[in-house]
């Protein structure tokens, strides 16, 4: 990155700040609101759960609902803020969502739909994969992400939701993941 120390500079301030509930901790939310100032919290990140298969009616497991309830309770500590969706994959991805190393896009979207309906709140933006370059999450390929985003673009549950590509763990991998989905 080249720059000139005598140039006036360009403001690159961040206008939207958020808190995360995918590791649901009331202590983290309280601390964040104290340190940031609750008036600085613009959006809350809530996870959709893929650790359990959906039932035959497309419903979440009791365990997934419990996880979402915990996230919702923590998110509500910040007041009525817009939410964004990101997967909670640290508990693993259930085999029901997988086909080898790929995920099954339609089932991934079903999990997002089921979580959104269960939570009963609009979603400002959705990130179907979080840190997809980290193999421990087992989130699938960039092609899977492309297909998932395509399904979300036609899903009535997400028709007013902005879509975000996967935020990579290693910034060296960001361009490849971005290039794969930039047309979405």
């Amino acid at each position: 990155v080249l720059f000139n120390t005598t140039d006036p500079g360009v403001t690159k301030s961040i206008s939207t700040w958020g808190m995360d509930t995918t590791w649901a901790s009331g202590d983290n939310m309280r601390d964040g609101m104290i340190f940031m100032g609750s008036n600085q919290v613009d959006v809350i990140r809530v996870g959709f759960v893929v650790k359990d298969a959906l039932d035959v009616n497309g419903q979440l497991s009791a365990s997934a609902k419990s996880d979402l309830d915990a996230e919702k309770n923590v998110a509500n500590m910040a007041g009525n803020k817009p939410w964004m969706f990101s997967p909670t994959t640290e508990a693993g991805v259930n085999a029901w969502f997988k086909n080898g190393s790929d995920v099954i896009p339609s089932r991934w979207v079903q999990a997002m739909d089921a979580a959104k309906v269960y939570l009963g709140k609009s979603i400002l933006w959705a990130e179907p994969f979080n840190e997809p370059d980290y193999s421990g999450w087992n989130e699938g390929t960039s092609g899977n992400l492309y297909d998932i985003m395509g399904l979300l673009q036609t899903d009535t549950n997400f028709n007013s939701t902005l879509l975000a590509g996967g935020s990579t763990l290693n910034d060296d991998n960001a361009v490849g993941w971005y290039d794969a989905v930039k047309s979405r």
Side-chain angles (χ1 to χ4, degrees), residues 104-123:
I104 301 168
S106 61
R107 290 185 177 180
W108 202 264
V109 171
Q110 283 178 295
M112 294 176 73
D113 281 332
K116 182 179 184 295
V117 168
Y118 180 75
L119 290 168
K121 182 156 175 144
S122 63
I123 303 299

Side-chain angles (χ1 to χ4, degrees), residues 93-104 107 138-140:
V93 176
N94 188 282
W96 186 81
F97 294 99
K98 302 286 288 181
N99 180 17
S101 62
D102 289 353
V103 297
I104 301 168
R107 290 185 177 180
N138 297 310
E139 290 181 345

Side-chain angles (χ1 to χ4, degrees), residues 112-175:
M112 294 176 73
D113 281 332
K116 182 179 184 295
V117 168
Y118 180 75
L119 290 168
K121 182 156 175 144
S122 63
I123 303 299
L124 179 62
W125 79 79
E127 175 188 43
F129 286 177
N130 176 49
E131 298 174 351
D133 58 325
Y134 174 58
S135 61
W137 296 152
N138 297 310
E139 290 181 345
T141 66
S142 58
N144 296 153
L145 180 57
Y146 179 86
D147 292 341
I148 290 166
M149 291 174 80
L151 291 171
L152 289 171
Q153 288 174 323
T154 61
D155 186 323
T156 57
N157 283 320
F158 289 91
N159 63 357
S160 63
T161 302
L162 301 170
L163 298 178
S167 54
T168 58
L169 181 62
N170 179 338
D171 60 358
D172 291 336
N173 297 326
V175 170

Side-chain angles (χ1 to χ4, degrees), residues 40-85:
Q40 296 296 319
V41 178
D42 301 307
V43 65
I44 305 296
R45 180 177 144 188
V46 176
F48 60 91
V49 183
V50 291
K51 69 178 185 175
D52 299 324
L54 300 179
D55 70 16
V56 295
N57 297 315
Q59 300 298 308
L60 300 165
S61 69
S63 175
K65 289 177 181 178
S66 178
D67 289 353
L68 291 174
D69 288 339
E71 291 182 33
K72 183 177 186 176
N73 290 336
V74 172
N76 286 335
M77 292 172 66
N80 188 26
K81 306 290 182 173
W83 288 2
M84 64 92 53
F85 251 179

